[in-house]
Amino acid sequence: MNDIELTSVDVKGAMTPLTDVEAKLKEENVYVKTRYGNVYVTIQGDRKKTPFVTYHDLGLNSVTQFHGFFNFVDNEPIMDSFCVYNINALGQEEGAAPLPPNYPYPTCDQLADSVLDVVNHFHIKECVCIGIGFGANILARFALLHPDLVRGIVLINLISTKCGWIEWGYQKWSNWYLSSGQFTEFTKNYLLWHHFGYQSMETKHDLIDTYSRIFAKVNPNNLSLLISSYINRTDLGIERKDYELEPRAHKFNFKCEVLNVMGDDSPHDEDVIETNSRLDPSKSSFVKFADCGGMVLEEQPAKLAEALRHFLQGLGYVPHLSITRTSALVSDRVAMNKTLLLQQVSRNSISGPSAAYNKEHEAKSSKNPIA
């Protein structure tokens, strides 16, 4: 496995939030009938090109999560060769009709089944998946169940375990307000923590203001149903193979290449490292971005674009693209197979969102924005 932390690359982030980036790619919007209802898919680029399949995180949708990133100037060379199919979770697109309060919202496994329905609808034979948080969990399930359809997967802030009790408590509290049609200050601050973490909340005020406005526009009832599905998720069940003690053992894990991504100040750091400890080292790479919280696409879009380009070239795509300074740095560090500035975390430490949230909550209780 290749563990990398990008710390010494002086790459400036976007001057404005990616939600304000000019749309340059051709866009289509399609409702796709799935076994659990009609799913809204936004398409960026030429359908004749190699497909990306994406899935968004809690409180966002395909447009607010991904459109700005794929229109970002550093991704223009990549998008000459790719088309993006951005999938919205049921009822999460902007302007979605309210779902009935007692609507049997799909489970995480069923949402992964709906991804298969979308992929089949567009006759996609092989794709590269990109998911964040909740969306990473859904696409991870899809890739594990349908390895023949996934060439590679980029997982940002993936939590591979079931819900921890502290996460369950905060999400339940937030959901009580959402299910009654209220979007409260508590819910807003929890979503900001979930996406950015405390460090970014305290220093990146423009981004926080932008996403506070975005979160305020969500359909509270629909989001409550989605969150209920997420906090009732099951463990992914992946296991790392011990090549020394059990070289011939067969463990349930990804068969495609995996790029596991997090920010240095991510609120989910312990969970992502726990996930990393369960991945097959022969199939995965771990990238950790400095000066970055949980919203990697917004906080370090240039670095992520370079990491994505390198990952794609490792899969055999876009070989014609030149390697920039950042890509060259990544390549050199991968070749040396060194872990840079990555603190070791005990495999026996508490996993799940509860550990990460509790650690920050206790350290900053005097200025906790959620309290």
Side-chain angles (χ1 to χ4, degrees):
M1 182 186 299
N2 304 310
D3 295 348
I4 309 162
E5 182 173 23
L6 298 182
T7 58
S8 59
V9 185
D10 184 17
V11 182
K12 293 183 179 180
M15 297 302 293
T16 58
L18 291 183
T19 52
D20 297 333
V21 170
E22 179 185 357
K24 302 174 183 177
L25 298 168
K26 175 185 176 183
E27 295 184 359
E28 299 178 65
N29 304 319
V30 181
Y31 274 103
V32 176
K33 184 178 181 180
T34 74
R35 66 196 81 180
Y36 302 108
N38 292 330
V39 168
Y40 191 65
V41 181
T42 61
I43 303 170
Q44 295 176 276
D46 186 346
R47 289 201 207 181
K48 296 179 182 179
K49 298 178 180 178
T50 305
F52 283 130
V53 172
T54 75
Y55 216 108
H56 60 87
D57 203 351
L58 303 174
L60 297 176
N61 56 51
S62 64
V63 175
T64 53
Q65 183 90 81
F66 290 108
H67 277 221
F69 177 71
F70 287 111
N71 278 305
F72 183 57
V73 62
D74 288 31
N75 279 323
E76 288 180 6
I78 292 175
M79 291 311 299
D80 286 339
S81 302
F82 282 83
C83 176
V84 190
Y85 296 81
N86 300 296
I87 301 175
N88 288 273
L90 193 66
Q92 305 306 309
E93 68 273 17
E94 185 175 356
L99 297 169
N102 296 322
Y103 180 80
Y105 202 87
T107 65
C108 288
D109 287 326
Q110 290 171 334
L111 289 171
D113 289 338
S114 72
V115 174
L116 177 62
D117 294 337
V118 171
V119 166
N120 288 338
H121 174 86
F122 291 110
H123 306 290
I124 295 173
K125 303 302 181 184
E126 188 177 65
C127 65
V128 176
C129 294
I130 304 176
I132 303 177
F134 161 77
N137 190 279
I138 300 303
L139 289 181
R141 295 171 191 273
F142 170 72
L144 288 167
L145 292 173
H146 306 284
D148 55 315
L149 295 174
V150 182
R151 181 74 177 274
I153 186 167
V154 179
L155 300 169
I156 303 173
N157 296 332
L158 172 63
I159 299 174
S160 58
T161 57
K162 63 183 181 180
C163 183
W165 69 269
I166 292 181
E167 179 196 15
W168 181 90
Y170 276 97
Q171 294 281 27
K172 272 291 189 180
W173 190 1
S174 176
N175 246 19
W176 184 85
Y177 293 113
L178 289 170
S179 61
S180 62
Q182 304 176 64
F183 186 85
T184 65
E185 189 75 5
F186 174 85
T187 299
K188 183 195 76 173
N189 285 326
Y190 186 83
L191 287 173
L192 288 172
W193 175 85
H194 172 83
H195 286 278
F196 289 95
Y198 282 116
Q199 183 67 27
S200 294
M201 288 175 70
E202 293 175 353
T203 59
K204 299 176 181 177
H205 301 135
D206 289 345
L207 284 178
I208 298 305
D209 289 343
T210 295
Y211 279 86
S212 293
R213 293 191 295 270
I214 290 173
F215 295 144
K217 295 178 182 179
V218 302
N219 183 306
N221 179 68
N222 290 7
L223 179 58
S224 74
L225 294 171
L226 178 69
I227 291 176
S228 291
S229 177
Y230 187 48
I231 63 177
N232 286 298
R233 66 185 181 268
T234 57
D235 190 287
L236 291 183
I238 55 176
E239 295 182 88
R240 171 178 286 191
K241 178 179 179 179
D242 191 323
Y243 284 89
E244 293 184 1
L245 299 179
E246 300 177 295
R248 297 185 180 180
H250 295 283
K251 301 289 187 179
F252 181 65
N253 219 312
F254 293 94
K255 294 184 179 180
C256 65
E257 295 295 323
V258 178
L259 182 62
N260 189 28
V261 180
M262 65 175 285
D264 196 38
D265 297 315
S266 171
H268 311 291
D269 55 353
E270 293 186 15
D271 308 301
V272 178
I273 293 172
E274 164 67 18
T275 294
N276 202 58
S277 73
R278 304 174 73 185
L279 294 174
D280 184 341
S282 69
K283 289 284 188 179
S284 61
S285 296
F286 183 26
V287 178
K288 186 179 184 184
F289 295 108
D291 189 28
C292 184
M295 186 70 83
V296 178
L297 271 69
E298 278 282 8
E299 298 180 70
Q300 294 292 356
K303 291 182 182 180
L304 181 59
E306 291 300 337
L308 177 60
R309 181 186 302 187
H310 175 77
F311 181 65
L312 293 173
Q313 289 179 328
L315 296 176
Y317 297 115
V318 294
H320 60 286
L321 295 183
S322 61
I323 299 180
T324 65
R325 179 169 175 250
T326 309
S327 289
L329 178 64
V330 174
S331 298
D332 290 344
R333 292 184 179 182
V334 167
M336 295 172 69
N337 194 25
K338 290 183 177 180
T339 301
L340 302 179
L341 304 178
L342 182 64
Q343 294 183 347
Q344 296 299 319
V345 177
S346 171
R347 300 280 178 81
N348 297 323
S349 62
I350 299 175
S351 63
S354 56
Y357 186 82
N358 193 37
K359 180 178 68 175
E360 288 195 88
H361 178 71
E362 291 177 352
K364 300 177 180 285
S365 58
S366 61
K367 50 184 175 180
N368 183 358
I370 297 178

